Amino acid sequence: MRGLVIFDVDGTLSLTSEVDDDCWRDAAREVLGVTSMSTDWSTYSHSTDEAIATDLIRRGTDRISVDDLVHRVRDVFADGIRESLGRDPGLFRPVPGSPGVFKALTDEGWSVAIATGGWRVTAEMKLAAAGVPFSGVPAAHADDAHPREEIISIAARRAMVQVSHQIPTVYVGDGIWDVKAAARLGIGFVGIGDAASADRLQGAGAEVVLADFSDSSSFLAEVEARGSVPFGDPQDRGPGVPPTRS
């Protein structure tokens, strides 16, 4: 195996950020009575669904115990995603080239995994609707941890059960939080986004941002170029690489 490439979901594999924002607003209003919320996920403690729900509960309610409310937000949010999919499947489109990107990588000897800030149930709905073949792909979600870098770490461990724990690793994402998580872990990063997104990602430290996966050769070349840093457990990484938990 040449290395491991780990993918975000919303905005990276599936073009579902818009419907995601709408369903978040609806869930926050229905469960928490929050009538106005930011969908700039960088304003939350972590840009992951579990952390966003927890922050909204702590900021906007006087509830001490949050677990039950988080699960209610998740369930209402999932219902909203499901209803949106039934009403307008066109809201769930693949990023161009994403349905074939896993095969393109595995054909070249790379392993793949998914690490998303979304909850598992909704991430799987979005990937299925976008036609991205995720069955059997090791994955970690917001259900597993709050910090995105910890979610990436969990996905990597799940992907490397049968292989060496220290291999070249690249994270692929579309948000500034993705850039920062990869930097904290000391792994490679390839950004995905349009011109405006590219400016934001590059401003956050991304060396390269591609519009999509249409040109699989270019994407593979960027993965190769940025897959030179081995990923391992915190104690195995070299000096100057921060721990996985922020």
Side-chain angles (χ1 to χ4, degrees):
M1 185 180 71
R2 299 174 68 177
L4 176 65
V5 185
I6 307 176
F7 292 82
D8 179 38
V9 173
D10 289 299
T12 301
L13 293 171
S14 63
L15 293 170
T16 44
S17 295
E18 183 176 349
V19 67
D20 204 66
D21 292 357
D22 290 342
C23 289
W24 253 113
R25 293 187 189 98
D26 291 344
R29 182 172 57 251
E30 180 175 336
V31 178
L32 306 176
V34 174
T35 57
S36 178
M37 65 171 286
S38 172
T39 55
D40 176 357
W41 309 126
S42 66
T43 63
Y44 295 86
S45 59
H46 300 286
S47 57
T48 60
D49 283 352
E50 197 95 355
I52 292 164
T54 300
D55 286 358
L56 288 173
I57 293 164
R58 289 175 174 163
R59 293 175 186 175
T61 76
D62 58 0
R63 308 294 182 91
I64 297 174
S65 176
V66 301
D67 287 351
D68 288 345
L69 274 179
V70 167
H71 294 156
R72 285 176 57 196
V73 172
R74 178 198 62 198
D75 293 345
V76 171
F77 176 71
D79 286 343
I81 293 291
R82 195 175 291 109
E83 291 166 6
S84 297
L85 177 57
R87 184 176 64 252
D88 186 1
L91 293 171
F92 298 79
R93 295 172 291 122
V95 169
S98 64
V101 71
F102 291 170
K103 185 176 187 304
L105 284 163
T106 56
D107 284 350
E108 294 297 319
W110 291 85
S111 288
V112 298
I114 294 168
T116 173
W119 282 303
R120 180 184 61 80
V121 61
T122 49
E124 290 184 351
M125 280 193 280
K126 295 168 188 175
L127 290 170
V132 178
F134 65 91
S135 179
V137 176
H141 308 83
D143 314 64
D144 295 303
H146 282 201
R148 186 169 295 260
E149 52 266 37
E150 189 168 341
I151 296 172
I152 296 171
S153 299
I154 293 168
R157 289 197 294 272
R158 290 175 177 170
M160 296 189 288
V161 169
Q162 302 299 325
V163 298
S164 169
H165 75 284
Q166 194 170 29
I167 59 173
T169 303
V170 176
Y171 188 49
V172 184
D174 68 297
I176 57 174
W177 43 84
D178 298 322
V179 182
K180 292 177 179 178
R184 290 185 184 115
L185 289 168
I187 61 177
F189 179 79
V190 174
I192 299 295
D194 59 17
S197 296
D199 288 342
R200 289 193 296 271
L201 293 174
Q202 288 168 342
E207 294 181 353
V208 61
V209 183
L210 303 177
D212 51 44
F213 306 102
S214 296
D215 186 344
S216 60
S217 296
S218 293
F219 175 67
L220 287 167
E222 297 298 349
V223 166
E224 291 275 1
R226 280 150 189 84
S228 59
V229 179
F231 180 94
D233 292 331
Q235 60 267 31
D236 295 327
R237 293 198 296 273
V241 179
T244 59
R245 186 181 291 275
S246 61

